[in-house]
Amino acid sequence: MEECIFCKIINKDLPASVIYEDERMIAFDDINPQAPVHVLLIPKEHFPSLNEIPEEKKDVLSHLLIKAREIAQEKGIAGRGYRIVLNTARESGQDVLHIHFHLLGGRQMTWPPG
Ligand code: 5GP
Ligand code: ZN
């Protein structure tokens, strides 16, 4: 997807502060952090949102989640707590139409979310 900003980050056409990368995914700091730790984790394969992930690609999701847990451990927030957010489609507030998990932590979270 040439016009997708997250695909541009994957292809190194846009700079990002990359924390982790392998053949299936990339994790990088959010450009507008909402917490002391705010990392985005995305698959290299372009899917607009959770709604478009086919059943046979469900391993993509577990890979991203386990890596989010590892990054939380590395950042020292695993024990304190962290939040993983997956905005999906319009009413959730999803802005970038390339599926991404937000890993947020390093401060007290509140509930309910806005
Ligand atoms: P959404 O609202 O779609 O769930 O979240 C999109 C996130 O992507 C936002 O937190 C926003 O700050 C982040 N973002 C948007 N454009 C860029 C960019 O070019 N680079 C990085 N690192 N983050 C971005
Ligand atoms: Zn994309």
Side-chain angles (χ1 to χ4, degrees), residues 20-58:
Y20 174 81
E21 180 169 8
D22 63 27
E23 67 285 357
R24 284 185 286 169
M25 64 159 286
I26 186 167
F28 52 95
D29 287 320
D30 196 291
I31 205 167
N32 182 24
Q34 301 301 310
V37 175
H38 189 170
V39 175
L40 301 174
L41 299 98
I42 67 174
K44 287 191 171 174
E45 188 170 354
H46 179 95
F47 302 102
S49 81
L50 182 62
N51 287 337
E52 289 80 23
I53 299 257
E55 176 76 17
E56 66 270 20
K57 293 286 175 77
K58 63 186 177 190

Side-chain angles (χ1 to χ4, degrees), residues 1 4-7 10 46-47 97-98:
M1 295 292 280
C4 169
I5 55 169
F6 285 179
C7 284
I10 291 164
H46 179 95
F47 302 102
L97 293 178
H98 181 129

Side-chain angles (χ1 to χ4, degrees), residues 5-6 9 14-17 28-34 38 40 85-88 92-98 100 102:
I5 55 169
F6 285 179
I9 287 174
L14 250 188
S17 170
F28 52 95
D29 287 320
D30 196 291
I31 205 167
N32 182 24
Q34 301 301 310
H38 189 170
L40 301 174
V85 172
L86 177 57
N87 291 324
T88 303
S92 75
Q94 184 183 6
D95 284 330
V96 178
L97 293 178
H98 181 129
H100 50 281
H102 297 254

